[in-house]
Amino acid sequence: MSKAVRSPGTLIALLVAAAGVLLVLYAWRLPPFASSVESTENAYVKGQVTIISPQLAGYVKNVAVQDFETVKAGDLIVQIDDRIYEQRVRQAQATLAGQQASLANADQSQRAAEARLRSGEAQIASAQAAVETAQANAGRILALREKGISTQSAADQASLVLDQARAGLRQAEAALDVARQDRQSIIVGRAGLEAAVRNAEAAVQLAAIDLQNTRILAPQDGKMGEIGVRLGQYVAVGTQLASLVPARKWVIANFKENQLSGMKIGQPVTFTVDALHHAPLTGHVQEFSPATGSEFSILKADNATGNFTKIAQRLPVRIAIDQDQPLTEDLAPGMSVIVSIDTATPVEAAVKLSSADKQ
């Protein structure tokens, strides 16, 4: 070995160079430091944050919750002054009662028209009988006059009575036709009255819904965020009053595209949470995003430009948090986590874990 190699400075330099090479190999996960575990710090706890807003305008009468309070589904959050909406319900009910009375009156009118129709039919029968009687009487008198037994005046009187009976029959038939038209008019008008009643019933239901909406209730179990509404405040439709965070949470990890090889649904996941002193928690891969995050951005990059620079894209991976872990109750949406996934998990085990999660 030469003196240059044996000198302490050269040995130190060689050791530093070797350490640097090993450090680069370790940082890039190159052999002999290649690993099946993929990790990312670009991950966060997620949850369904529900914005609580009113469906109608009014002054706030009561704020029943405080910041960060735990609530159950159906608990009162905010009460809006309901006096106007109570009167609207009474007004709609009064309109409904009037329409129902009009419909009942139409029913009575229809029954009266049917009675007049039956009366007209009876009058026709009576007029037909009168015509038949007058016709028979006129025939007898004409026969007697031809034999010289009856006078001409009696024949003329019999003919007059026959004409009057026939006129009475035509009048009875016309009256019957009028009665039929009256009944039909009532029947046609009844359809409009029934529609008016249904409209009034719908108005009552809408007014009742508005009255019910003055009580803004929790849609599900969860924990309130900061309450942004105050007693006596006037709120409009859609005003953000508060936020509700349900207990169900998960993790979204944004892995680089070159880390996705070998990842499968159901593979076990370990992650640590910065806010919990990096305490370890477990979960498993639940779903993969259908596109990278850049595809969902509002301003998308145009890679057709001449100054293109390749940038590794990230794909969001949804991770279900395993149950029965004490620290999961302390997780809050938005917390930063560090996620690690072992891509060497066998396919059979991954499929089994995914099936158990869906059940």
Side-chain angles (χ1 to χ4, degrees):
M1 183 179 294
S2 65
K3 293 181 179 180
V5 176
R6 291 197 301 269
S7 64
T10 303
L11 291 175
I12 292 174
L14 291 174
L15 291 174
V16 170
V21 171
L22 293 174
L23 182 61
V24 171
L25 293 175
Y26 175 78
W28 289 91
R29 294 293 189 267
L30 298 174
F33 301 105
S35 173
S36 62
V37 177
E38 298 292 347
S39 301
T40 182
E41 294 182 349
N42 191 344
Y44 305 91
V45 178
K46 294 291 185 179
Q48 295 176 335
V49 180
T50 303
I51 305 300
I52 306 298
S53 301
Q55 292 183 316
L56 42 81
Y59 288 94
V60 175
K61 182 180 179 181
N62 181 27
V63 180
V65 293
Q66 298 179 354
D67 295 345
F68 318 133
E69 181 178 340
T70 300
V71 296
K72 298 291 185 181
D75 287 351
L76 178 65
I77 297 177
V78 174
Q79 170 75 55
I80 296 177
D81 188 1
D82 58 359
R83 291 175 297 173
I84 294 177
Y85 299 98
E86 286 181 349
Q87 295 305 317
R88 288 180 180 174
V89 170
R90 294 191 178 95
Q91 184 181 38
Q93 290 173 342
T95 301
L96 175 60
Q99 296 295 342
Q100 289 173 338
S102 298
L103 181 60
N105 184 56
D107 292 337
Q108 182 63 32
S109 298
Q110 182 175 349
R111 287 191 290 270
E114 290 173 350
R116 288 194 296 272
L117 189 62
R118 291 191 296 272
S119 175
E121 291 172 348
Q123 289 177 359
I124 286 180
S126 176
Q128 287 176 341
V131 168
E132 293 173 357
T133 301
Q135 193 170 11
N137 187 39
R140 287 193 298 271
I141 292 177
L142 287 175
L144 293 175
R145 188 183 66 81
E146 291 177 355
K147 294 179 181 181
I149 299 175
S150 177
T151 63
Q152 182 63 37
S153 62
D156 293 340
Q157 182 67 27
S159 178
L160 178 62
V161 171
L162 177 60
D163 291 340
Q164 290 177 342
R166 288 173 176 169
L169 177 60
R170 291 193 294 270
Q171 183 179 10
E173 289 174 343
L176 180 62
D177 189 37
V178 170
R180 287 197 182 102
Q181 296 301 323
D182 289 343
R183 185 186 65 170
Q184 186 63 29
S185 298
I186 293 172
I187 292 174
V188 172
R190 191 178 191 281
L193 293 174
E194 289 176 346
V197 169
R198 290 193 297 270
N199 182 67
E201 289 173 345
V204 170
Q205 292 176 358
L206 288 173
I209 290 172
D210 284 342
L211 178 61
Q212 184 179 7
N213 286 336
T214 59
R215 293 174 51 84
I216 303 173
L217 310 178
Q220 57 183 317
D221 297 351
K223 196 171 184 179
M224 301 300 302
E226 291 186 4
I227 307 302
V229 64
R230 298 293 178 264
L231 184 65
Q233 178 181 348
Y234 181 83
V235 295
V237 176
T239 302
Q240 182 173 337
L241 306 179
S243 299
L244 176 66
V245 181
R248 185 167 178 264
K249 306 177 189 71
W250 60 92
V251 172
I252 295 294
N254 300 299
F255 283 96
K256 292 181 180 180
E257 53 189 324
N258 54 14
Q259 294 179 289
L260 298 173
S261 178
M263 286 190 189
K264 303 176 184 65
I265 293 177
Q267 285 178 329
V269 177
T270 59
F271 63 93
T272 60
V273 185
D274 296 354
L276 302 180
H277 301 288
H278 300 282
L281 293 166
T282 61
H284 55 275
V285 177
Q286 190 176 30
E287 291 291 346
F288 291 94
S289 173
T292 62
S294 61
E295 292 299 310
F296 293 113
S297 64
I298 298 176
L299 300 176
K300 297 180 176 60
D302 186 0
N303 293 332
T305 57
N307 56 348
F308 168 72
T309 300
K310 183 178 180 179
I311 301 175
Q313 300 298 310
R314 291 183 179 269
L315 187 80
V317 179
R318 182 179 174 123
I319 297 170
I321 302 172
D322 292 340
Q323 302 297 319
D324 300 328
Q325 298 183 87
L327 293 178
T328 56
E329 297 180 359
D330 299 328
L331 295 177
M335 285 184 174
S336 300
V337 300
I338 300 175
V339 174
S340 298
I341 300 177
D342 186 1
T343 59
T345 303
V347 177
E348 294 79 6
V351 173
K352 184 177 181 181
L353 284 171
S354 177
S355 301
D357 177 64
K358 290 181 180 179
Q359 292 177 355

